[in-house]
Amino acid sequence: MAASLSTGLDVHFAIPQSDTKRPIFFTRRKFTIYCNSSKSSTKPPQNPPVKRTPSLSEQLQPLSTTTLPKKDQAGLLSKPKSTWVNPTKPKRSVLSLQRQTRSPYAYNPKVRELKLFANKLSDCDNSEEAFLSVLEEIPLEPTRENALLILNSLKPWQKTHLFFNWIKTKNLFPMETIFYNVTMKSLRFGRQFELIEELANEMVSNEIPLDNITYSTIITCAKRCNLFDKAVEWFERMYKTGLMPDEVTYSAVLDVYAKLGKAEEVVSLYERGVASGWKPDPIAFSVLAKMYGEAGDYDGIRYVLQEMKSLGVRPNLVVYNTLLEAMGKAGKPGLARSLFQELLESGLTPNEKTLTSLAKIYGKARWAKDALELWEEMKSKNWPMDFILYNTLLTMCADIGLVEEAEQLFMDMKKSQHCRPDSWSYTAMLKIYGSGGNVGKAMEFFEEMSEVGVELNVMGTTCLIQCLGKAGRINELVKVFSVSVEQGIKPDDRLCGCLLSVVSRCESRADVDKVLACLHRANPRLVGFVKLIEEEVYCLDTVKEEFKGIISDTKDDARRPFCNCLIDICRSKNLNERAHDLLYLGTLYGLYPGLHNKTADEWSLDVRSLSVGAAQTALEEWMGTLANTIKHEEALPLLFSAQTGAGTHKFSQGLSNSFASHLKKLAAPFRQSEEKAGCFVAKREDLVPWLQSRLQT
């Protein structure tokens, strides 16, 4: 008789690729063929012992150092080099794209009667006694099918849990996975994760198998309850059992990793899922887009768009909204505009969130033309408007200086029944009139707020005080400040900076004292420093120590404005040397990064973030440094430039104009660039003789 024969075959299954650039992944499976004679039989060779399955974190760790660039790097994310294979399930197929389906109910002619009884259970009192009392009236024997139908028909999670426990106590039939799944889904609706986890552990103890639906319910409930660590824990447990995640679970865990800030794991899991045959849904791409957007990663956003196109996934409105929001954070208004056009061409209608995101982007970028076109299109197509969108459009108008459009929007809000103007609506109008110097209108709105019962906020106070300060109406400024404080407004650093700016503009000592009295109520130490730099006896070391203390107590975004205003105050009192000292201190403590830039061919001064007085001081300091360079016969580039910015806001051309006037006063050979607005250039051949002439005087 023939002897038995066995041999192993290695079969490689290629995963279909949707992207030609994506590395090819294979899943390897081993089959053994046995040929036995009737005379003898040989047992198949034993499988080697299975090693400990590494956790998902351990599996993802090798890629976490390669899939994302460092913080200071840009570029697309690298792709994983291999796909994950669970060693405990070597014959597992690739990811099933269909969720596991439930077994259909058996035919039951009494379905209507059972559902009516389930409704009666749902409507009864929440106490256990009342529930058990109604259960005594059950019309049919609680067989497996009847019990499952009732369990699935109960709405309040409390009733579902009570009925489930009642079934267990009756012990009429074995409790199967589907009973736990139905109960868990009801508990998930009530965000009862502790009960769900308790049931899951009970299943493990009773050796009842947990399937895809079980794990998906546990993970998504943990996510809804913001228990992200628990979601990851159960996801790893799922992997260790050999179950492959379905599309819902993949999307949920991607979102969990993103919320935990684990960007490397998000990318690794996404790539591994796609390599295993998973086709990401729009929700998954929305998670990726949001993650990249919050990080301001434009390349990441572009990567998401490319992936969607390569996999043939059509974005829905949720994805478009997320992408628009991400592009706003990444500072890409042009790409946002293109994506919005793509949204319209796809046949989708933008909602309030879409238009709010786009309005914010246009306002921040100061794209007046595009903002106006968006506004006209919204009116012509009667697109939906809500309260947030109205206020966003008003803010956009304030950012760009669109007065007439803002007034029309505000009137529309007044006529609306559901979108009446609130504190932020009035603040936007105060900002518009304040920026334009329309004191009468600004004060009119201030009085109207009191009449209609709308509270003034700190931003509105700041806008109004800035407007009154520029107009020199100090008495009204003091009144507005006093009313604001009496209404409970706590002056912040921005408001203090605004008062400092007003001090620098005051022409009379009496006005200075009035404004400083207001500032003293908000920040006494700052007032003390103003008096310190005005004193006849001046000590730089003392000023330096006090300046450091004030800046340390000030929020980051207000530190440079404080220094700018203090320099302006010195220049307004002809204390130019002290203004130079403050500029030096500001530079020393990192308030003016990027003030000077050098290349082999060009040296430049960037004063776009400086006030008028600070910019003039920086120019004088720069000219002094260049004069010393010439004096020591050091090499100079061919071109010099000073950047003031173009002043894209309708009312913000002041710095460029003042800087040009100062250059003219100094007779410096800088000329407005014909190629770039807000840029003043000088050639070496013109600047050097001028500096040499100043050295001789």
Side-chain angles (χ1 to χ4, degrees), residues 11-17 23-29 81-85 94 275-276:
V11 182
H12 292 73
F13 294 87
I15 304 300
Q17 301 297 310
I24 305 299
F25 294 85
F26 295 92
T27 299
R28 179 175 177 173
R29 304 182 192 157
K81 296 183 180 179
S82 62
T83 187
W84 179 84
V85 179
V94 299
S276 299

Side-chain angles (χ1 to χ4, degrees), residues 309-372:
K309 290 181 180 179
S310 66
L311 295 174
V313 177
R314 182 181 178 183
N316 58 20
L317 191 57
V318 174
V319 176
Y320 274 119
N321 288 345
T322 304
L323 286 168
L324 281 172
E325 188 176 351
M327 289 169 189
K329 292 180 179 179
K332 297 294 178 181
L335 188 58
R337 179 175 57 189
S338 300
L339 190 70
F340 182 69
Q341 291 302 319
E342 181 183 310
L343 180 156
L344 297 178
E345 291 169 2
S346 70
L348 295 172
T349 300
N351 62 11
E352 297 90 332
K353 188 174 181 180
T354 317
L355 300 170
T356 298
S357 296
L358 198 60
K360 285 182 179 178
I361 292 170
Y362 287 163
K364 186 177 180 181
R366 304 196 188 282
W367 282 18
K369 179 182 177 182
D370 294 273
L372 285 172

Side-chain angles (χ1 to χ4, degrees), residues 625-642:
T625 302
L626 293 178
N628 287 331
T629 302
I630 294 173
K631 186 176 180 180
H632 292 90
E633 298 182 351
E634 297 176 13
L636 293 172
L638 295 174
L639 191 65
F640 299 86
S641 63

Side-chain angles (χ1 to χ4, degrees), residues 348-400:
L348 295 172
T349 300
N351 62 11
E352 297 90 332
K353 188 174 181 180
T354 317
L355 300 170
T356 298
S357 296
L358 198 60
K360 285 182 179 178
I361 292 170
Y362 287 163
K364 186 177 180 181
R366 304 196 188 282
W367 282 18
K369 179 182 177 182
D370 294 273
L372 285 172
E373 289 177 355
L374 175 64
W375 171 234
E376 292 298 330
E377 193 170 13
M378 288 173 62
K379 291 190 295 182
S380 63
K381 295 183 178 178
N382 199 26
W383 283 339
M385 295 279 288
D386 66 1
F387 187 74
I388 296 176
L389 180 54
Y390 265 118
N391 276 345
T392 302
L393 288 169
L394 277 175
T395 303
M396 178 191 74
C397 291
D399 289 336
I400 301 174

Side-chain angles (χ1 to χ4, degrees), residues 124-137:
C124 78
D125 190 78
N126 284 331
S127 67
E128 186 174 355
E129 293 77 11
F131 188 79
L132 293 175
S133 176
V134 176
L135 272 176
E136 294 177 357
E137 304 173 14

